[in-house]
């Protein structure tokens, strides 16, 4: 009984100790100050900067059709076109319409709150991984375009990326199952979140046994089925073909990147295939030479996981012997770099798509071996390109060059050891 009570005291005191350690970090004070100041800035923007009408009316039209009982995705349309987002989008914006009555101003207040919540999650990730100096955290609050995307445009990207960042925070706390459920929820709002899927799968294979990976993926799939159930049981083909359409061709005029590519080439299948091959090739290269370097490369790592799975069928503890706790910095860096590769190889980036990777930019820049001044110039250059309206051949070419310079820096950076300690060692300490 004394041993059990001692364990309870130890387990209950551990979160308190972690919280105390977190609060002692001077970056926590900086993060809290940034949240407070940015909240005032966001409120000022909502009050005095005119709202820009883009997709809000279309969102409300699509939601109204859904609330009136329409379950055929081909009939859910707005003034900007048909609905192309999964079912989670409809539930989120139905709730927003219920709370705001479809009015813009209260919706802006709601999105302003979402902006601050998202910023708080991001700052938690940055403080916990401790990659940036304290003053560089200010960069996360300096984007004119990001404030616009959240509180002046009210895009669904805001909800998708907030859930994605919350997923990262859960993974840093080793909550993989809950993290996958939240990740699936983000995908149900907008499919761009799938850019994180390849590096996330690799991290899962490192952090979990095969059974755990399968269960986590099954949980994520179940979320998609439950959210899409009203449409899957009525018009499944219309739902799947529209909500998960990977072959959409965006309008050349609105593209922020590849504007220098002639429009006939831009919309061609050959160009799309070239970018897909580049995407897969870069992911494979980083996985083999960077993310799995300490495991002997991607193929050696996958082979070791296969051998571990075979052994676990005869010796239940063998899989736990090969599972290690991942370093927090390795988790975030792998996911951010994997997503950034997808950004570089995306055929079209619209202005709201900046939210897909802006909050990872400072992290990526400080992972490169570049001097601080060059990091700041790259950050400002990317921000400049995203604020050129409309984009042109020069701004899009400059954006690609800046992206490639950042990618080269990430490739040139040394690969740090990705693990903390074995689960078995941790269990031994607990005993």
């Amino acid at each position: 009984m004394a041993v059990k009570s001692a364990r309870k005291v130890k387990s209950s005191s551990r979160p308190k100790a972690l919280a105390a350690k977190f609060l002692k970090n001077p970056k926590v004070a900086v993060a809290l100050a940034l949240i407070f100041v940015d909240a005032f800035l966001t409120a000022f923007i909502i009050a005095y900067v005119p709202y820009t009408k883009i997709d809000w009316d279309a969102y409300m039209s699509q939601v109204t059709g859904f609330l009136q009982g329409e379950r055929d995705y081909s009939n859910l349309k707005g003034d900007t076109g048909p609905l192309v987002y999964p079912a989670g989008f409809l539930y989120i914006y139905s709730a927003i319409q219920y709370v705001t009555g479809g009015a813009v101003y209260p919706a802006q207040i709601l999105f302003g709150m979402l902006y601050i919540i998202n910023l708080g999650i991001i700052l938690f990730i940055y403080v916990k991984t401790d990659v940036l100096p304290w003053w560089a955290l200010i960069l996360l609050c300096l984007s004119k375009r990001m404030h616009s995307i959240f509180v002046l445009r009210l895009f669904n990207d805001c909800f998708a990326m907030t859930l994605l960042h919350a997923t990262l925070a859960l993974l840093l706390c080793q909550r993989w199952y809950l993290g996958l459920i939240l990740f699936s929820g983000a995908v149900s709002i907008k499919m761009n979140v799938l850019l994180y899927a390849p590096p996330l799968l690799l991290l899962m294979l490192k952090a979990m046994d095969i059974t755990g990976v399968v269960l986590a993926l099954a949980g994520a799939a179940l979320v998609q089925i439950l959210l899409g159930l009203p449409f899957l049981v009525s018009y499944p083909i219309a739902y799947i073909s529209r909500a998960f359409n990977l072959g959409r061709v965006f309008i050349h005029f609105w593209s922020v990147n590849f504007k220098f590519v002639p429009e006939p080439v831009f919309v061609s299948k050959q160009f799309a295939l070239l970018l897909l091959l580049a995407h897969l090739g870069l992911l494979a290269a980083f996985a083999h030479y960077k993310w799995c370097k300490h495991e002997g490369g991607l193929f050696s790592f996958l082979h070791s996981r296969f051998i571990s799975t075979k052994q676990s069928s005869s010796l239940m503890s063998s899989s736990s012997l090969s599972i290690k706790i991942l370093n927090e910095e390795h988790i975030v860096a792998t996911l951010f770099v994997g997503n950034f590769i997808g950004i570089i190889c995306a055929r079209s980036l619209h202005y709201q798509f900046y939210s897909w990777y802006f909050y990872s930019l400072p992290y990526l820049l400080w992972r490169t071996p570049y001097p601080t001044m060059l990091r700041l110039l790259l950050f400002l250059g990317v921000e400049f390109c995203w604020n050129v309206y409309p984009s042109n051949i020069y701004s899009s070419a400059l954006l690609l060059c800046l992206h490639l310079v950042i990618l080269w820096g990430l490739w040139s950076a040394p690969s740090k050891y990705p693990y903390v300690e074995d689960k078995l060692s941790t269990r031994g300490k607990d005993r």
Side-chain angles (χ1 to χ4, degrees):
M1 293 298 293
V3 175
K4 289 184 178 180
S5 60
R7 285 183 181 176
K8 287 182 179 179
V9 171
K10 186 176 181 180
S11 60
S12 62
S13 63
R14 195 173 298 157
K16 295 180 181 179
L18 290 174
K21 182 180 179 181
F22 193 73
L23 290 174
K24 286 181 181 179
N25 189 340
K27 289 183 181 179
V28 175
V30 176
L32 293 174
L34 288 175
I35 292 173
F36 183 77
V37 173
D38 209 351
F40 274 96
L41 176 61
T42 304
F44 178 85
I45 293 172
I46 294 173
Y48 295 103
V49 180
Y51 156 77
T52 305
K53 177 183 175 181
I54 298 181
D55 282 345
W56 175 256
D57 289 345
Y59 291 168
M60 292 298 100
S61 297
Q62 293 159 357
V63 163
T64 299
F66 165 66
L67 293 177
Q68 290 176 350
E70 182 60 66
R71 296 296 179 264
D72 187 347
Y73 247 60
S74 60
N75 294 330
L76 293 173
K77 301 177 181 179
D79 55 9
T80 59
L83 176 60
V84 293
Y85 309 122
F89 160 83
L90 286 174
Y91 301 133
I92 290 289
Y93 276 83
S94 294
I96 294 174
Q97 187 186 74
Y98 176 79
V99 172
T100 65
V104 169
Y105 184 69
Q108 286 183 278
I109 296 175
L110 188 63
F111 273 79
M113 296 170 61
L114 180 68
Y115 174 86
I116 296 302
I117 292 172
N118 178 65
L119 178 62
I121 296 171
I122 282 293
L123 287 170
F124 169 81
I125 293 171
Y126 274 81
V127 171
K128 192 167 177 62
T129 51
D130 199 25
V131 171
L132 269 65
W134 67 268
W135 59 266
L137 296 176
I138 301 172
L139 298 176
L140 297 166
C141 304
L142 295 182
S143 175
K144 174 185 176 182
R145 179 61 64 184
M146 287 307 304
H147 285 91
S148 173
I149 290 170
F150 270 82
V151 299
L152 299 180
R153 269 71 172 179
L154 314 181
F155 287 120
N156 62 328
D157 306 74
C158 305
F159 279 94
M161 295 313 299
T162 300
L163 284 182
L164 186 277
H165 295 147
T167 298
L168 265 66
L170 286 173
L171 298 186
L172 292 182
C173 299
Q174 304 299 320
R175 306 295 183 183
W176 291 89
Y177 293 105
L178 183 57
L180 260 290
I181 290 175
L182 212 58
F183 177 81
S184 185
V187 172
S188 76
I189 299 173
K190 195 156 188 177
M191 277 209 316
N192 69 282
V193 178
L194 287 175
L195 292 177
Y196 283 89
L200 177 57
L201 178 59
L202 180 63
L203 292 174
M204 290 168 61
L205 289 171
K206 288 187 175 189
M208 309 168 72
D209 58 29
I210 298 301
T211 302
V213 172
V214 172
L215 289 175
L217 292 177
L222 182 61
V223 170
Q224 294 298 321
I225 294 172
L226 292 176
L227 291 176
L229 195 60
F231 310 98
L232 291 172
V233 298
S234 52
Y235 299 93
I237 296 177
Y239 176 69
I240 295 173
S241 63
R242 289 183 178 271
F244 299 95
N245 182 7
L246 297 175
R248 292 175 60 199
V249 179
F250 293 95
I251 300 174
H252 180 259
F253 176 80
W254 293 112
S255 181
V256 178
N257 65 332
F258 294 122
K259 197 67 173 288
F260 57 88
V261 176
E263 185 170 1
V265 177
F266 179 86
V267 299
S268 67
K269 292 183 179 180
Q270 292 84 353
F271 186 56
L273 180 60
L274 177 64
L275 291 174
L276 176 61
L277 292 175
H279 186 188
L280 296 176
L282 286 171
L283 284 177
F286 269 84
H288 185 71
Y289 294 104
K290 307 296 291 185
W291 302 333
C292 293
K293 180 179 180 179
H294 295 277
E295 293 88 351
L298 176 62
F299 302 107
S300 176
F301 167 71
L302 293 177
H303 181 261
S304 68
R305 298 303 297 123
F306 175 74
I307 295 298
S308 175
T309 303
K310 289 183 63 177
Q311 291 177 344
S312 65
S313 61
S314 57
L315 184 61
M316 294 301 295
S317 62
S318 64
S319 60
S320 64
L321 290 171
S322 64
I323 300 300
K324 299 180 179 181
I325 298 176
L326 290 177
N327 183 284
E328 294 168 345
E329 186 177 340
H330 179 68
I331 292 173
V332 178
T334 302
L335 290 170
F336 278 167
V337 174
N339 177 68
F340 185 63
I341 289 172
I343 294 293
I344 294 175
C345 299
R347 174 159 51 168
S348 181
L349 295 175
H350 290 188
Y351 284 98
Q352 66 268 32
F353 297 179
Y354 191 26
S355 62
W356 295 3
Y357 77 111
F358 165 76
Y359 288 106
S360 68
L361 270 178
Y363 199 100
L364 296 174
L365 288 168
W366 259 262
R367 287 278 300 185
T368 68
Y370 298 146
T372 300
M373 185 56 66
L374 180 55
R375 292 167 177 163
L376 292 175
L377 289 174
L378 289 169
F379 178 85
L380 293 174
V382 172
E383 177 71 13
F384 167 78
C385 292
W386 281 96
N387 281 280
V388 174
Y389 179 82
S391 62
N392 53 59
I393 59 173
Y394 304 107
S395 64
S396 63
L398 175 60
L399 182 63
L400 178 61
C401 291
L402 294 171
H403 283 170
L404 293 177
V405 171
I406 296 172
L407 187 67
W408 176 252
L410 294 169
W411 179 262
S412 305
S415 299
K416 298 181 180 180
Y417 187 69
Y419 299 107
V420 178
E421 56 184 343
D422 291 343
K423 280 188 175 181
L424 193 60
S425 300
T426 304
R427 289 173 183 171
K429 291 178 182 178
D430 288 341
R431 290 174 186 172

